[in-house]
Amino acid sequence: MKHEKTLVNKIKHLLNLANIPEFLHHYGPKKYKFYLHALALLIRQECKLSFRRCSKILRSLGFIVPSYSALAKMLKRIPLIIWEIMLKMSNNVQSKLIAIDSTGITRPLPSMHYLHRIDKPYPIEVPFKLSMIADLQSKKIITLRFRSKPRHDMKDVFYLLKKVKNVEMLIADKGYDSESIHEYAFWNKFITIIPKKANARKGFFRKKMQKHFSYQIYHRRSIIESMFFMIKRKYGEISSLKFKNQRADIYCRAIAHNITLMNLDFFN
């Protein structure tokens, strides 16, 4: 069909928008194009499959995909800049109302045999830290920051805000109530909808932003909380062991989430 809407078409169009070459390597046998790797890696996250099962199922369905070992190597080799470009291109329509928040994501705990071997009576869970900015109108992920250890919410605020353009309003909880954020918003010409902390000092920029505060708008922050809940329920914990692979898994989940929300008319 001329206007057939498939996941393959979405991934191809996404890679074309990002200006990513057909092959990431210059040498060696150019047998599998990059979109075949991207298709398999995104479906692996969408269906919560291992590399081996993902390759086997896709091949049984008639797709030409690399072997499971090649997929595992490709996940590790894809640079961060490509993940960021693909995430940016997957959010094709960005509104002017955004929200920022962070959450913890569980990681696989060691086995009881290993804990017994190192004389640990119980496992100590250290969750990953995921901070992200979401578009409240399209419910897509605009940008994110992934850390292997817990950090304060303020650590990644300016890193994320610098990657967002054409913002008119930012919604966040009390953890982000800081004079520096209000000052950054003032000079970049957007409004912050952040409730004031009980022990917060009266700052010049905080006072200016409090004039625009509205609980009706602030309650729209529940959308990003629902997005966190949905991503955790849908994808579960991260199964990769190395941090680079764990970060790639998070980006795969965010891109897969955005692709499923893409408007089909965008591909006509």
Side-chain angles (χ1 to χ4, degrees):
M1 296 176 63
K2 185 177 179 181
H3 298 292
E4 185 180 8
K5 310 301 188 304
T6 63
L7 180 61
V8 176
N9 289 341
K10 287 186 176 185
I11 293 175
K12 283 183 177 181
H13 194 86
L14 178 65
L15 297 179
N16 288 334
L17 287 176
N19 292 322
I20 297 176
E22 291 185 345
F23 302 94
L24 290 186
H25 55 84
H26 298 286
Y27 307 102
K30 294 178 171 58
K31 186 176 180 181
Y32 300 104
K33 295 183 179 180
F34 179 66
Y35 85 88
L36 296 172
H37 292 274
L39 172 67
L41 293 175
L42 292 175
I43 290 180
R44 170 179 169 262
Q45 290 296 330
E46 188 71 20
C47 302
K48 294 194 288 186
L49 301 172
S50 63
F51 290 108
R52 189 186 298 267
R53 289 184 61 201
C54 180
S55 179
K56 184 177 180 180
I57 290 174
L58 288 177
R59 287 186 176 185
S60 64
L61 293 174
F63 289 94
I64 303 174
V65 294
S67 63
Y68 69 92
S69 59
L71 290 177
K73 291 177 182 178
M74 180 57 72
L75 182 71
K76 183 171 61 175
R77 291 173 180 172
I78 298 175
L80 176 60
I81 184 65
I82 289 184
W83 291 121
E84 291 180 342
I85 292 173
M86 290 176 62
L87 179 62
K88 181 181 179 180
M89 293 298 104
S90 64
N91 183 28
N92 55 306
V93 179
Q94 180 181 324
S95 68
K96 298 179 180 180
L97 178 62
I98 63 172
I100 185 172
D101 205 352
S102 60
T103 187
I105 298 180
T106 58
R107 67 176 76 202
L109 296 176
S111 65
M112 296 306 297
H113 171 74
Y114 176 77
L115 294 173
H116 177 72
R117 201 177 74 188
I118 63 175
D119 295 329
K120 276 282 186 182
Y122 52 87
I124 299 176
E125 184 175 353
V126 181
F128 298 110
K129 180 66 177 291
L130 173 62
S131 301
M132 75 179 192
I133 292 180
D135 184 347
L136 297 186
Q137 183 173 346
S138 63
K139 300 180 182 179
K140 292 183 180 180
I141 300 171
I142 301 175
T143 184
L144 60 88
R145 188 76 182 271
F146 184 69
R147 290 183 177 271
S148 60
K149 295 181 181 179
R151 290 291 186 273
H152 193 274
D153 293 344
M154 289 293 300
K155 278 284 184 180
D156 300 322
V157 171
F158 298 107
Y159 172 86
L160 296 174
L161 287 177
K162 288 177 182 178
K163 295 180 177 294
V164 185
K165 297 180 180 180
N166 302 323
V167 182
E168 288 188 356
M169 196 170 294
L170 171 69
I171 303 176
D173 59 15
K174 286 184 180 180
Y176 295 92
D177 180 32
S178 170
E179 181 70 8
S180 58
I181 292 181
H182 297 301
E183 182 179 359
Y184 180 87
F186 178 79
W187 293 118
N188 287 273
K189 299 179 181 180
F190 64 88
I191 299 171
T192 56
I193 305 296
I194 304 175
K196 188 174 67 173
K197 293 179 180 177
N199 57 347
R201 296 181 179 179
K202 293 182 179 179
F204 173 77
F205 296 100
R206 179 186 283 111
K207 187 175 180 180
K208 289 184 72 69
M209 291 300 171
Q210 282 296 316
K211 296 179 181 179
H212 305 283
F213 183 80
S214 168
Y215 275 107
Q216 184 177 1
I217 300 176
Y218 173 72
H219 287 319
R220 297 193 65 180
R221 194 184 67 85
S222 60
I223 295 175
I224 192 171
E225 295 283 359
S226 300
M227 290 172 62
F228 279 134
F229 178 75
M230 183 272 294
I231 290 173
K232 290 180 181 180
R233 287 289 301 271
K234 185 176 182 180
Y235 299 110
E237 68 177 15
I238 296 176
S239 58
S240 301
L241 298 178
K242 294 186 177 180
F243 175 74
K244 192 172 183 179
N245 293 354
Q246 294 162 350
R247 184 177 61 190
D249 285 343
I250 285 293
Y251 273 94
C252 275
R253 296 178 182 189
I255 295 168
H257 169 78
N258 288 354
I259 285 178
T260 56
L261 295 176
M262 276 185 174
N263 188 1
L264 294 178
D265 295 336
F266 182 66
F267 299 93
N268 285 338

